Amino acid sequence: MIVTVLAALYARYGEIDALRRILVGVSCAAVGLLISALFRMMMPLIKRRDLIGLVILAAVFVAIGLLRLPLPAVLLVAIPLSIAIAYFIRRRATS
Amino acid sequence: MNSDTNPILSLAWTFGVMSLFAVGGANAAIPEMHRVAVDVQHWMTDQQFADVFAISQLSPGPNVLIVTLIGYSVAGVAGALVATLAMCGPTAILAYYVSRLMTRSSHSRWPAIIQVALVPLSIGLMGASGLILALAADRSWAGGVVTAVAAVLAFATRLNPLWLLLAGGCLGFAGVI
């Protein structure tokens, strides 16, 4: 509900200069928050020296972020691949 | 889907499919939303996308609200409703069955393996979100500095994120960015 009201307000007043400037500032800060959440999630992988995990992470980042490939196509390759890798690592560790 | 088809149907289809691929939550699906909404369907500009993201972060509630905002900007209240339902419905059903499957096979090692396999994927997706949003939002070097400072502060302190958003808004209002 709140969000719909905000959306309506944005649609009507989004062109007002002061609001435009405020939104630019807020979006810059919001991206910062996202990046900090990202590093928080990455810390366990780095601490564990989980090299394979970090390589998979980087590969997904490049495919989606830099190459801008469609998400379904990337995931249809990445999910089975990642599960297979995790499975073989687990099996080697237990045997 | 072409842009000349009914926008409501187009929204339902886009987010319904996307919800099934939203590994790691709405923030991880942002690159795909951006690709579809800005590059493919031309529903909004890069700048509007950054605005919508900012509003969704300001609002109380889950991150998935960005979908509601995109839906609204495409087709008003009906669009907001359809986009939100399409994004949440299929995932909820999928999550229900997956969690049932997981509890039933709790003795097996597959749930743990799948979890281990998906974590790096969703972090990589979030990284891509960060990059795409930074490109959309940070139009000046000052904006980049604000993003970097906000990231460091949020990472290193327990400051309420709302304060950082507010500070960003004030700096923007003052015309610094």
Side-chain angles (χ1 to χ4, degrees):
Chain A
M1 277 324 285
I2 296 171
V3 130
T4 316
V5 172
L6 281 176
L9 288 175
Y10 173 68
R12 180 161 299 179
Y13 301 110
E15 295 306 313
I16 292 176
D17 189 50
L19 195 71
R20 283 238 44 76
R21 294 207 307 265
I22 293 173
L23 272 180
V24 168
V26 172
S27 59
C28 290
V31 175
L33 293 180
L34 184 89
I35 292 171
S36 93
L38 181 72
F39 278 105
R40 258 178 214 195
M41 289 170 75
M42 267 173 71
M43 285 318 278
L45 290 185
I46 295 172
K47 277 192 186 133
R48 263 190 280 129
R49 310 253 158 105
D50 185 351
L51 204 65
I52 294 167
L54 289 172
V55 167
I56 293 171
L57 189 162
V60 171
F61 174 78
V62 169
I64 298 283
L66 299 180
L67 302 179
R68 311 299 309 270
L69 300 175
L71 182 70
V74 172
L75 288 184
L76 283 179
V77 176
I79 291 178
L81 200 67
S82 185
I83 289 176
I85 292 170
Y87 174 73
F88 282 116
I89 290 174
R90 178 70 61 96
R91 211 169 65 166
R92 222 172 37 180
T94 51
S95 66
Chain B
M1 278 216 169
N2 299 320
S3 49
D4 51 81
T5 51
N6 186 343
I8 300 273
L9 284 179
S10 183
L11 278 172
W13 169 254
T14 300
F15 289 114
V17 171
M18 196 182 295
S19 85
L20 295 174
F21 288 96
V23 178
N27 272 350
I30 280 176
E32 183 69 0
M33 291 179 200
H34 182 276
R35 196 181 67 82
V36 172
V38 178
D39 298 337
V40 179
Q41 300 278 11
H42 304 291
W43 281 332
M44 46 180 53
T45 63
D46 217 22
Q47 181 68 61
Q48 283 170 320
F49 190 86
D51 290 347
V52 159
F53 173 68
I55 296 171
S56 79
Q57 296 299 300
L58 269 179
S59 326
N63 290 327
V64 75
L65 289 178
I66 187 172
V67 170
T68 314
L69 291 165
I70 295 175
Y72 184 90
S73 77
V74 174
V77 176
L81 214 69
V82 166
T84 312
L85 286 177
M87 190 71 186
C88 297
T91 315
I93 295 165
L94 190 70
Y96 173 72
Y97 281 106
V98 168
S99 73
R100 249 180 45 167
L101 208 70
M102 292 283 217
T103 46
R104 201 178 297 166
S105 61
S106 57
H107 58 279
S108 97
R109 52 200 172 150
W110 281 106
I113 289 176
I114 291 171
Q115 216 158 26
V116 165
L118 290 187
V119 165
L121 285 184
S122 45
I123 303 175
L125 290 175
M126 270 188 66
S129 301
L131 175 72
I132 284 162
L133 286 167
L135 291 177
D138 297 343
R139 289 302 169 94
S140 62
W141 64 267
V145 170
V146 169
T147 298
V149 170
V152 170
L153 281 178
F155 186 75
T157 69
R158 292 183 175 279
L159 211 62
N160 188 329
L162 264 182
W163 289 116
L164 293 171
L165 296 177
L166 209 68
C170 290
L171 286 172
F173 182 69
V176 178
I177 300 168

